[in-house]
């Protein structure tokens, strides 16, 4: 029996997949962007524009607060306060638009490893819809003439921002789905490699029954995990309001984590049975070598005995003569 077990470095292979699956639980970050430097540069430019818009809004808000306080203290011209309020509100809208533009660039630049084009298009269309809605409020702001108008427009902008917050959960969820599918693709590749190498070892006379069973369980785990990830995608895409955002996101994330655990546990089982088999093969190799040494030792002893007997017979023959 050929007892050499050269499947592959199973421990490293299994650890690689477990590491890949572990990133599924992480929030998306700069690593999600394409390797293309242009995509990263565009995101950084959009981020800088957003930060500048934030600064402008803060400055306008400070000016508004000063005008408001002056009016309360000195009863200055109300129009000065209204104009400062309108400027702050416009800067607030610009801040929203800059954030949405940054989000749009981010979605455009996400690596195809982590998002399919249909989901990318769906998210981009949703962002564009929010940009159009929030931009339209500038017309309402310009028409403000009194405190009642200010309150009405301010409430409407706040409600729109609440809707935009739900978009964040949806985007993060879709990226998590993309990461999970990417990791499952790698799991498929390693499963195929493990299956092939195990078959090669079996052809050399190694009993791989336990490994075969573990691999069947692994394939089942990968298929089940893929169904969970698909279900998570449906849940994430159903996020439409702030009210359902948190619950749906948590439900979808739970499905992703379940998929992660299923594949991780299955790979762990494969790793354990392979470790046992490697140990068994090593012990068999050691036993075979011991047996071979004993056989050589016995053969050597037998040869020495035969030589002694032959010499004795020769001597007796000579004496008789």
């Amino acid at each position: 029996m050929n007892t050499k077990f050269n499947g592959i470095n199973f421990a490293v292979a299994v650890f690689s997949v477990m590491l890949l699956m572990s990133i599924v639980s992480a929030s998306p970050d700069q690593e999600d962007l394409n390797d293309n430097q242009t995509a990263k540069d565009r995101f950084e430019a959009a981020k800088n524009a957003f930060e500048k818009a934030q600064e402008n809004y803060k400055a306008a808000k400070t000016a508004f607060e000063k005008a408001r306080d002056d009016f309360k203290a000195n009863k200055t011209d109300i129009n000065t306060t209204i104009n400062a309020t309108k400027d702050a509100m416009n800067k607030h809208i610009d801040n929203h638009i800059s954030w949405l533009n940054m989000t749009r660039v981010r979605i455009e630049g996400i690596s195809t490893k982590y998002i399919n084009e249909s989901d990318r298009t769906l998210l981009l269309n949703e962002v564009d819809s929010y940009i159009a809605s929030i931009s339209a409020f500038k017309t309402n702001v310009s028409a403000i003439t009194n405190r009642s108008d200010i309150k009405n427009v301010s409430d409407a902008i706040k409600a729109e921002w609440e809707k935009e917050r739900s978009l964040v959960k949806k985007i993060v969820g879709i990226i998590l789905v993309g990461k999970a599918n990417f990791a499952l693709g790698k799991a498929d590749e390693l499963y195929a490699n493990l299956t092939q190498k195990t078959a090669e070892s079996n052809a050399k006379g190694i009993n791989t029954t336990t490994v075969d069973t573990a691999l069947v369980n692994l394939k089942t785990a990968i298929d089940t995990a893929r169904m969970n990830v698909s279900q998570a995608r449906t849940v994430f895409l159903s996020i439409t309001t702030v009210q359902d955002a948190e619950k749906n996101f948590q439900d979808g994330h739970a499905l992703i984590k379940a998929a992660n655990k299923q594949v991780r546990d299955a790979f762990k089982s494969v790793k354990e049975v392979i470790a046992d088999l490697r140990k068994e093969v090593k012990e068999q190799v050691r036993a075979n070598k011991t047996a071979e040494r004993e056989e050589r030792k016995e053969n050597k002893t037998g040869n020495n005995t035969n030589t002694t007997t032959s010499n004795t017979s020769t001597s007796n023959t000579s004496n008789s003569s």
Side-chain angles (χ1 to χ4, degrees):
M1 178 175 89
N2 186 337
T3 54
K4 187 178 180 182
F5 188 64
N6 62 349
I8 56 172
N9 189 332
F10 287 96
V12 173
V14 172
F15 177 76
S16 298
V17 168
M18 292 173 70
L19 181 62
L20 278 167
M21 291 304 294
S22 69
I23 69 173
V24 173
S25 298
S27 298
D29 206 341
Q30 188 85 348
E31 72 212 28
D32 307 322
L33 294 175
N34 271 315
D35 293 334
N36 188 332
Q37 188 60 42
T38 301
K40 295 180 180 179
D41 290 344
R42 289 187 65 232
F43 177 74
E44 285 302 314
K47 182 180 176 183
N48 290 337
F50 169 61
E51 291 172 350
K52 181 64 176 175
Q54 281 186 310
E55 292 174 5
N56 291 340
Y57 166 61
K58 289 176 182 177
K61 184 180 178 183
T62 299
F64 150 70
E65 290 170 345
K66 182 178 184 304
R68 179 196 61 195
D69 293 343
D70 286 348
F71 176 76
K72 287 180 178 180
N74 307 314
K75 301 301 179 184
T76 54
D77 183 8
I78 185 64
N79 289 326
T80 300
T81 305
I82 290 176
N83 288 335
T85 303
K86 291 166 69 172
D87 184 52
M89 293 176 77
N90 276 323
K91 293 297 193 300
H92 190 37
I93 291 171
D94 290 340
N95 191 37
H96 280 288
I97 294 172
S98 293
W99 178 82
L100 287 166
N101 282 331
M102 181 178 68
T103 302
R104 195 182 201 290
V105 171
R106 173 62 177 276
I107 295 170
E108 288 175 332
I110 295 173
S111 170
T112 51
K113 293 186 299 185
Y114 300 135
I115 193 170
N116 62 53
E117 290 307 317
S118 62
D119 285 346
R120 191 195 306 274
T121 300
L122 185 151
L123 293 176
L124 288 174
N125 288 342
E126 194 160 340
V127 171
D128 289 342
S129 175
Y130 280 121
I131 290 175
S133 296
I134 197 72
S135 297
F137 282 112
K138 287 209 168 189
T139 301
N140 301 78
V141 171
S142 66
I144 290 175
T145 58
N146 54 54
R147 294 172 64 181
S148 178
D149 290 343
I150 291 173
K151 183 179 186 310
N152 291 336
V153 175
S154 178
D155 288 345
I157 292 174
K158 181 179 179 181
E160 185 66 23
W161 173 237
E162 287 295 310
K163 288 194 294 183
E164 290 172 19
R165 285 173 53 199
S166 68
L167 176 63
V168 176
K169 296 287 188 181
K170 183 180 292 188
I171 293 171
V172 172
I174 293 303
I175 293 176
L176 290 176
V177 167
K179 283 188 171 186
N181 281 327
F182 175 73
L184 287 172
K186 291 298 181 181
D188 283 332
E189 293 175 11
L190 284 172
Y191 164 78
N193 201 349
L194 288 166
T195 301
Q196 177 187 342
K197 297 303 183 180
T198 301
E200 291 173 1
S201 297
N202 184 263
K204 293 175 182 178
I206 298 175
N207 184 353
T208 60
T209 302
T210 55
V211 179
D212 293 334
T213 300
L215 287 175
V216 169
N217 294 337
L218 171 60
K219 183 65 169 65
T220 300
I222 292 174
D223 292 342
T224 302
R226 187 166 275 113
M227 286 190 291
N228 280 344
V229 171
S230 177
Q231 187 179 348
R233 176 181 177 274
T234 300
V235 173
F236 288 136
L237 289 177
S238 70
I239 294 174
T240 55
T241 66
V242 175
Q243 287 70 30
D244 66 26
E246 187 60 32
K247 180 182 183 303
N248 287 11
F249 180 80
Q250 292 302 328
D251 290 347
H253 198 197
L255 288 165
I256 294 289
K257 289 191 287 187
N260 182 7
K261 186 176 187 305
Q262 287 159 352
V263 176
R264 235 188 11 233
D265 289 349
F267 265 106
K268 182 180 178 182
S269 296
V270 173
K271 179 182 177 181
E272 289 172 350
V273 296
I274 288 174
D276 290 342
L277 182 56
R278 287 169 67 90
K279 182 179 178 181
E280 180 183 328
V281 169
K282 285 181 179 180
E283 290 174 351
Q284 183 62 51
V285 169
R286 192 178 299 114
N288 289 349
K289 288 182 177 180
T290 300
E292 289 172 2
R293 283 197 300 270
E294 290 298 324
E295 184 178 348
R296 285 196 299 270
K297 190 175 182 181
E298 289 177 5
N299 290 339
K300 184 177 180 180
T301 301
N303 289 336
N304 289 340
T305 301
N306 291 336
T307 300
T308 301
T309 302
S310 176
N311 290 338
T312 302
S313 298
T314 302
S315 175
N316 290 338
T317 302
S318 297
N319 292 334
S320 296
S321 298

